[in-house]
């Protein structure tokens, strides 16, 4: 009978802590964004991408097939490695903070991705520019948007529209004080581009660093007026 190999024998080990996991996810996010950007047609690229040299290796008005193939493989390899390690965390530990809050508050894939993308802004300008800026050139300086999440997940119009429901006042993200919006969008169209920030409570939970709860904006209270 086949039995699972130990982490040592399989060559795969669980993530040591929350930050170890989060940085691996950010590495995958960067790989996915590179692939998404490369697949966009030249006329869909913002002129600033050209100025920053982000169209390198793309010539003749199209993406080189070998480049795109490499980017697809890179993204897949990162994802498989993360999922293998995360599976070990879920079976033998240590538990991952993002898993915990998703289970506790019933968060789905869209909300989990929003949290991951929004966390990038907590790491500084270099990460924002190298990852978020390429994905959505109109993103807010320290915030992510529903539109950016939809672009990252390559969602269609109907799924994008449904994504707006995740930032309503009675949604789990806001009811539990996990995210903060500068104001309540009055219209669905306004909600697509409104900036979304992680609360100190959320960052504390996903990083395992309680000190972040000291950033106590009103959204951290976890109550909907």
């Amino acid at each position: 009978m086949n039995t699972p190999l130990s982490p040592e024998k399989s060559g795969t080990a669980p993530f040591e802590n929350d930050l170890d996991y989060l940085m691996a996810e950010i590495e995958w996010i960067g790989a996915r964004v590179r692939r998404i950007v490369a697949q966009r047609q030249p006329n869909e690229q913002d002129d600033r991408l050209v100025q920053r040299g982000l169209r390198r290796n793309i010539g003749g008005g199209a993406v080189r097939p070998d480049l795109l193939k490499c980017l697809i493989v890179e993204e897949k390899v990162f994802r498989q490695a993360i999922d293998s390690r995360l599976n070990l965390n879920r079976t033998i530990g240590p538990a991952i903070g993002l898993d915990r809050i998703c289970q506790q508050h019933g968060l789905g894939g869209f909300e989990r991705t929003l949290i991951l993308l929004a966390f990038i802004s907590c790491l500084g300008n270099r990460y924002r520019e190298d990852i978020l800026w390429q994905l959505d050139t109109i993103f807010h300086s320290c915030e992510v948007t529903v539109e950016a999440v939809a672009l990252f997940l390559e969602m269609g119009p109907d799924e994008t529209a449904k994504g707006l429901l995740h930032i309503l006042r009675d949604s789990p993200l806001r009811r539990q004080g996990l995210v903060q919006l500068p104001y309540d969008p009055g219209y669905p169209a306004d909600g697509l581009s409104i900036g979304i920030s992680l609360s100190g409570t959320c960052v504390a939970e996903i990083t395992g660093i309680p000190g972040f709860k000291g950033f106590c904006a009103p959204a951290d209270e976890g109550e909907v007026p």
Side-chain angles (χ1 to χ4, degrees):
M1 181 178 69
N2 293 328
T3 57
L5 293 175
S6 67
E8 294 80 5
K9 292 182 179 180
S10 67
T12 301
F15 292 104
E16 294 182 4
N17 52 55
D18 289 316
L19 285 176
D20 185 26
Y21 162 70
L22 290 171
M23 295 311 296
E25 286 283 17
I26 288 171
E27 194 171 17
W28 167 71
I29 289 170
R32 183 175 176 87
V33 168
R34 288 191 292 273
R35 191 266 302 163
I36 291 172
V37 171
Q39 281 185 320
R40 291 175 179 169
Q41 294 300 315
N43 60 6
E44 294 177 334
Q45 303 288 340
D46 189 281
D47 288 340
R48 286 172 292 179
L49 295 179
V50 179
Q51 294 172 9
R52 287 172 58 88
L54 296 178
R55 280 198 198 163
R56 59 185 180 276
N57 299 324
I58 300 177
V63 179
R64 276 190 2 220
D66 57 335
L67 169 63
L68 183 55
K69 183 178 180 179
C70 288
L71 292 173
I72 291 172
V73 170
E74 178 187 51
E75 177 188 347
K76 183 177 181 180
V77 168
F78 280 132
R79 186 70 258 162
Q80 289 177 337
I82 291 171
D83 289 343
S84 294
R85 299 183 66 187
L86 191 55
N87 184 57
L88 289 174
N89 286 93
R90 290 167 175 169
T91 55
I92 65 175
I96 295 297
L98 184 54
D99 272 356
R100 185 168 52 249
I101 65 170
C102 285
Q103 293 168 2
Q104 185 177 2
H105 304 306
L107 305 182
F110 184 94
E111 295 141 307
R112 186 184 184 104
T113 301
L114 187 153
I115 290 173
L116 285 170
L117 292 178
F119 178 68
I120 293 173
S121 290
C122 299
L123 300 177
N125 288 329
R126 182 172 69 85
Y127 285 93
R128 287 199 296 266
E129 292 178 2
D130 289 350
I131 300 176
L132 292 179
W133 193 85
Q134 290 189 63
L135 178 67
D136 181 4
T137 57
I138 61 171
F139 82 93
H140 296 255
S141 61
C142 295
E143 300 160 331
V144 73
T145 65
V146 167
E147 186 172 11
V149 178
L151 286 170
F152 179 78
L153 293 176
E154 300 180 295
M155 297 166 63
D158 54 339
E159 293 174 307
T160 300
K162 292 177 183 177
L164 290 167
L165 302 178
H166 295 297
I167 62 167
L168 292 177
R169 297 181 77 189
D170 62 351
S171 67
L173 285 174
R174 296 188 62 190
R175 190 172 63 248
Q176 301 300 329
L178 299 175
V179 301
Q180 181 182 15
L181 277 62
Y183 60 88
D184 268 319
Y187 305 93
D190 191 22
L192 272 177
S193 59
I194 192 170
I196 306 166
S197 300
L198 298 184
S199 69
T201 296
C202 183
V203 176
E205 290 291 335
I206 66 174
T207 62
I209 303 174
F212 280 113
K213 291 182 180 180
F215 293 92
C216 50
D220 290 41
E221 297 174 1
E223 297 179 357
V224 177

